[in-house]
Amino acid sequence: MRRPVQRPTRPRLARLLACAAVAPAILVAGCSSGSDSSQDAAGGAASKSAGAKPSPTVEAAKYGKLPQPCEALAGKTVEELVPKAKSKSGTAGKSGDVQSRSTCSWNGLDGYQYRWLDVSFQRFESDATLGSGEKRAKDYFAKQIDATKSTQDAKDLKSGKGEGIGEESATFAYGLKKGKDDFRNQTVVARSANVIITLNYNGTGYEDAKQPNSADLLKDAEAAAKKAVEAVAAENEAGGKVGSATSGSKSPEPKSSSDK
């Protein structure tokens, strides 16, 4: 005997229809949730972009050029400080970038009196990471002072402040023994804006000749340093203010000059 097909009752049919209606609602909710997440991500990115800080800038360096080192001191000055110089035009030091660092030296023997003179220039660019050219020059000025004070085998070193030599300057006088001879050494370190000028002047009297007077040597060294500072300003008078304010390159920092 065949059993009759049992049809769902009305309550059971209502439950099935309710379940069928829930599934699309879940799918719709899932899509809606994904859309909101994308909008939130885009909004967050836009917020970060709007809040990004601009690249830092610093004041441009005052001086963009250096003078030719062997022309920074007039021929008359060289003749007075180094009589009978081997080369009146001087000997330029090697440099990979003469607009960042340059040097020149002169030496000569007049009878038994020997003299040596050298001048060096160090220019600093402004750099967004390292600071302004002037700040960097100030830092290097302090390093040059410390280096001179630490001159090996220096005797009776006396330091002072230069007068009217750049924006700040320092002077040093000391003795130095080289072989059997005693040398009188004078060093002047000066800063003019973003440029450091270091001038060394020394001498001795060979074969028991009279030793040069330290006070006279220092006076001559200070006068020559003033001329070197003036040469920097003169070189930049014709539109030389081209210092970069955002350059990423660092000017090379030379070792401290030493007396010969």
Side-chain angles (χ1 to χ4, degrees):
M1 181 177 180
R2 181 179 298 178
R3 298 178 62 184
V5 177
Q6 186 176 3
R7 298 182 180 276
T9 62
R10 286 185 176 275
R12 182 181 177 190
L13 179 60
R15 287 198 300 272
L16 291 175
L17 292 176
C19 290
V22 169
I26 294 175
L27 293 175
V28 171
C31 294
S32 176
S33 176
S35 176
D36 290 343
S37 298
S38 298
Q39 291 177 1
D40 290 343
S47 178
K48 290 182 180 179
S49 177
K53 295 182 179 180
S55 299
T57 58
V58 292
E59 182 181 1
K62 180 177 180 179
Y63 294 133
K65 297 187 292 184
L66 291 178
Q68 292 293 328
C70 294
E71 297 177 7
L73 301 179
K76 182 179 179 180
T77 299
V78 173
E79 289 177 6
E80 291 176 350
L81 272 63
V82 189
K84 296 186 178 181
K86 290 181 180 179
S87 173
K88 292 183 179 180
S89 59
T91 302
K94 294 182 180 180
S95 175
D97 181 2
V98 295
Q99 289 306 321
S100 292
R101 177 179 184 266
S102 61
T103 63
C104 189
S105 63
W106 299 262
N107 69 88
L109 183 63
D110 182 12
Y112 292 105
Q113 292 295 322
Y114 176 81
R115 298 291 184 272
W116 168 281
L117 171 68
D118 73 62
V119 62
S120 68
F121 299 89
Q122 175 76 17
R123 185 180 66 84
F124 294 88
E125 285 281 15
S126 292
D127 187 284
T129 302
L130 302 174
S132 69
E134 185 166 337
K135 177 187 177 301
R136 296 178 66 197
K138 287 181 178 180
D139 292 342
Y140 188 67
F141 177 79
K143 290 180 181 179
Q144 284 291 76
I145 290 176
D146 290 341
T148 304
K149 288 181 177 179
S150 303
T151 300
Q152 188 174 1
D153 299 326
K155 297 180 179 179
D156 302 321
L157 189 149
K158 297 178 181 179
S159 61
K161 289 185 177 181
E163 295 296 332
I165 310 174
E167 294 170 36
E168 57 181 333
S169 59
T171 63
F172 303 89
Y174 55 96
L176 198 63
K177 189 90 172 178
K178 297 183 180 180
K180 297 180 180 180
D181 302 297
D182 292 311
F183 280 73
R184 302 286 195 271
N185 297 266
Q186 317 297 323
T187 299
V188 180
V189 183
R191 182 185 67 82
S192 182
N194 60 308
V195 175
I196 297 297
I197 299 93
T198 304
L199 185 138
N200 293 295
Y201 184 42
N202 63 64
T204 190
Y206 289 129
E207 300 295 335
D208 297 324
K210 184 180 179 179
Q211 291 296 318
N213 181 277
S214 292
D216 291 339
L217 290 179
L218 180 57
K219 183 178 179 180
D220 289 338
E222 289 179 313
K226 288 182 181 179
K227 296 295 184 182
V229 170
E230 292 171 0
V232 174
E235 183 68 23
N236 286 271
E237 282 181 354
K241 297 181 180 180
V242 295
S244 171
T246 57
S247 172
S249 61
K250 180 179 179 182
S251 301
E253 296 189 2
K255 296 181 180 179
S256 174
S257 300
S258 59
D259 295 327
K260 306 300 180 184

